[in-house]
């Protein structure tokens, strides 16, 4: 995806005004004007798709160029967006992801080193089973729910808002490893991590989605990144709506 995005930037980026042309600058004069339409129709425009792709890559890779080009594209068409926002639905979706991060059951953290997906499935009675699956890139880990050092931030699963009540959260057994920046072992989760819990919809609520929050601090052998909170929007099973 990064390779394709860089080709897109090389072939179609408008250096003078920002945004993307719809044709290469290699037509030998056959085109009087290089087209550059930003408005969404029955399908999203090329510029709208580019904004969302760049927003997703910025979150997953941490490379500044993707965020810079997405912001420059939005700035290039900001006047048109203000005048007719309904014509830019997909571009505004990309803008929202750029500002707020992705919305849904799948989230990325630590510049792509952490991939986490949340789900709610019916359980016994009036409760649901919450499951968060975390895949960590090779060489990376997150602190356990009970780190051995006070300065390390524990992994925590919680709910956002009053829709759900979360109980009985189960974390996997931690591994103890030695790192280059610690003199003592640290308790970590590596590889594929599963966190489970039980959730009940609070009385008076019949929502279609709920929000979960996962706090993680990702580290490799040389450094720890700043703690992050990944926010998931998860569909609630039909029987509880």
């Amino acid at each position: 995806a990064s390779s394709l995005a860089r080709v897109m930037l090389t072939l179609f980026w408008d250096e003078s005004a920002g945004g993307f042309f719809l044709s290469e600058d290699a037509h030998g004069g056959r085109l009087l004007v290089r087209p550059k339409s930003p408005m969404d129709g029955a399908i999203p425009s090329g510029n709208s798709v580019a904004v969302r792709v760049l927003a997703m890559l910025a979150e997953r890779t941490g490379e500044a160029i993707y965020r810079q080009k997405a912001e420059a594209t939005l700035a290039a068409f900001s006047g048109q967006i203000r005048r007719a926002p309904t014509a830019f639905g997909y571009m505004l979706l990309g803008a929202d992801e750029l500002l707020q991060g992705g919305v849904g059951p799948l989230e990325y953290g630590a510049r792509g080193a952490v991939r986490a997906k949340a789900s709610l499935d019916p359980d016994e009675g009036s409760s649901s089973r919450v499951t968060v699956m975390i895949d960590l890139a090779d060489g990376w880990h997150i602190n356990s729910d009970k780190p051995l050092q006070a300065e390390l931030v524990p992994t925590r699963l919680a709910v956002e808002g009053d829709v759900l009540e979360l109980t009985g959260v189960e974390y996997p057994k931690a591994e103890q490893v030695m790192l280059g920046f610690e003199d003592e072992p640290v308790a970590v989760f590596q590889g594929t991590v599963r966190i489970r819990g039980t959730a009940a919809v609070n009385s008076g609520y019949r929502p279609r989605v709920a929000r979960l929050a996962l706090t993680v601090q990702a580290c490799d052998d040389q450094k720890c990144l700043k703690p992050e909170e990944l926010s998931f929007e998860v569909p609630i099973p039909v029987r509880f709506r």
Side-chain angles (χ1 to χ4, degrees):
S2 293
S3 297
L4 287 172
R6 289 184 178 276
V7 171
M8 176 180 73
L9 290 167
T10 299
L11 297 181
F12 304 108
W13 180 251
D14 184 349
E15 292 288 352
S16 61
F20 293 88
F21 293 111
L22 302 184
S23 65
E24 296 180 50
D25 189 18
H27 294 282
R30 293 193 298 273
L31 293 179
L32 296 177
V33 178
R34 294 177 73 187
K36 187 172 68 171
S37 173
M39 293 186 179
D40 299 321
I43 60 174
S45 72
N47 276 280
S48 294
V49 173
V51 167
R52 193 174 184 204
V53 166
L54 293 169
M56 295 169 74
L57 283 171
E59 182 179 4
R60 286 154 174 77
T61 68
E63 294 189 33
I65 186 173
Y66 298 131
R67 179 170 295 277
Q68 292 167 359
K69 296 300 185 184
E71 290 175 346
T73 303
L74 290 168
F77 304 118
S78 59
Q80 297 177 59
I81 294 172
R82 289 192 191 96
R83 290 191 295 272
T86 56
F88 295 88
Y90 201 83
M91 188 173 290
L92 290 172
L93 174 63
D96 186 66
E97 289 199 18
L98 187 69
L99 294 171
Q100 306 294 336
V103 176
L106 177 64
E107 289 293 330
Y108 290 82
R111 302 174 181 173
V114 176
R115 179 185 187 274
K117 188 172 185 179
S119 63
L120 279 174
D121 300 297
D123 204 353
E124 298 180 1
S126 60
S127 63
S128 294
R129 195 66 170 168
V130 178
T131 303
V132 176
M133 299 296 298
I134 307 170
D135 290 310
L136 299 165
D138 290 344
W140 286 87
H141 66 265
I142 54 177
N143 301 323
S144 76
D145 58 310
K146 296 177 181 178
L148 303 178
Q149 287 76 19
E151 70 273 13
L152 298 180
V153 176
T155 296
R156 283 284 184 270
L157 178 63
V159 296
E160 293 183 346
D162 301 324
V163 173
L164 291 181
E165 181 178 350
L166 183 62
T167 60
V169 179
E170 302 169 0
Y171 298 92
K173 183 179 179 180
E175 302 176 56
Q176 292 195 17
V177 300
M178 294 296 299
L179 301 176
F181 57 87
E182 288 284 357
D183 297 328
E184 299 177 348
V186 295
V188 304
F189 298 143
Q190 301 184 94
T192 298
V193 181
R194 183 175 69 176
I195 301 172
R196 304 189 72 183
T198 301
V201 178
N202 287 323
S203 60
Y205 289 92
R206 288 295 179 267
R208 292 182 175 272
V209 296
R211 296 188 73 92
L212 302 171
L214 178 69
T215 301
V216 294
Q217 184 179 26
C219 311
D220 61 13
D221 186 54
Q222 301 298 322
K223 62 185 180 300
C224 280
L225 303 181
K226 67 179 182 180
E228 299 176 76
E229 184 174 282
L230 308 183
S231 182
F232 307 91
E233 189 173 87
V234 187
I236 291 177
V238 173
R239 63 187 265 193
F240 303 125
R241 295 177 185 173

